[in-house]
Amino acid sequence: KKKKIKDITLEKIGYQTDNGAYYCFCPDKNCSKTLITEVETLKEESQIHLGYLSFQGAGASSGRGQAAPWCVETWGVDGGLSKKYPLDLDTFQKAIGIPLQLYAPYFCPGTSYFGNTTNGNWTSVHSDVTLPGCDGFAFESISADESKDFYGWFLDKGVKVGMISFEPDFMNQNFNC
């Protein structure tokens, strides 16, 4: 008998902030407050019980525009939120009252997560932008032999601030580039 792994994204309704949605490019001065208000209003008016908030884009990482789309220089958990999101993720998650799905498809070249840095001495591999379909996708990822330890360390930090699910995204580029 196969054991089924729990997956909140298959069991609950989530609120998405992905793919060019308003909250990725929020024009407000305090996007934390805007999104908290939106989630509260949705919970009150729709009678839908939200299971999680998928918090992506500008709200979940920094580094956009430096290399590959949505690459992470500093993850939101580590203080990499846009200035338009003044609340840290722990405070934000407590304010909305539902778990978070966080996002980190790959890391920007030169990110502080690799090499001898404050975030560890992890070894990275680099994408090859000369491969077909990889133009514009310069990024770093953890080396295969360190990936289990790295993602254990990395995702534990997310869990501490209310993360219940993780989206890697851009799997085609992660695999092929």
Side-chain angles (χ1 to χ4, degrees), residues 54 56 71 97 100 116 142 148 164 175:
S54 179
Q56 302 174 2
C71 67
L100 301 172
N116 192 6
I142 188 68
K148 183 178 179 189
I164 197 163
F175 182 76

Side-chain angles (χ1 to χ4, degrees), residues 59-79:
S61 62
S62 63
R64 186 170 175 270
Q66 294 178 26
W70 306 108
C71 67
V72 173
E73 169 56 38
T74 304
W75 201 28
V77 171
D78 294 322

Side-chain angles (χ1 to χ4, degrees), residues 66-172:
Q66 294 178 26
W70 306 108
C71 67
V72 173
E73 169 56 38
T74 304
W75 201 28
V77 171
D78 294 322
L81 296 174
S82 158
K83 291 178 183 174
K84 290 187 173 191
Y85 288 91
L87 295 180
D88 62 76
L89 279 177
D90 189 38
T91 304
F92 176 78
Q93 188 277 322
K94 286 179 174 108
I96 62 167
I98 55 176
L100 301 172
Q101 177 186 57
L102 298 179
Y103 174 85
Y106 35 55
F107 298 89
C108 301
T111 182
S112 64
Y113 293 103
F114 305 126
N116 192 6
T117 69
T118 56
N119 282 314
N121 194 24
W122 305 102
T123 305
S124 68
V125 294
H126 299 265
S127 62
D128 184 348
V129 297
T130 66
L131 294 171
C134 297
D135 183 40
F137 282 92
F139 62 85
E140 293 183 50
S141 194
I142 188 68
S143 67
D145 60 329
E146 295 179 1
S147 64
K148 183 178 179 189
D149 290 338
F150 174 80
Y151 278 107
W153 167 80
F154 189 75
L155 298 175
D156 280 348
K157 295 193 293 179
V159 169
K160 287 178 184 172
V161 298
M163 181 184 80
I164 197 163
S165 178
F166 177 77
E167 180 185 354
D169 209 358
F170 289 95
M171 293 309 294
N172 183 51

Side-chain angles (χ1 to χ4, degrees), residues 35-55:
L35 191 49
I36 290 165
T37 301
E38 182 67 26
V39 169
E40 287 173 351
T41 301
L42 186 64
K43 287 196 279 191
E44 291 169 9
E45 294 179 0
S46 71
Q47 299 179 346
I48 295 173
H49 177 72
L50 292 176
Y52 66 97
L53 172 75
S54 179
F55 192 45

Side-chain angles (χ1 to χ4, degrees), residues 2-22:
K2 290 187 178 184
K3 188 176 182 180
K4 183 180 176 185
I5 298 172
K6 281 190 75 157
D7 184 345
I8 193 167
T9 64
L10 298 175
E11 298 168 2
K12 304 277 185 178
I13 294 174
Y15 190 91
Q16 292 288 326
T17 62
D18 190 13
N19 200 17
Y22 178 82

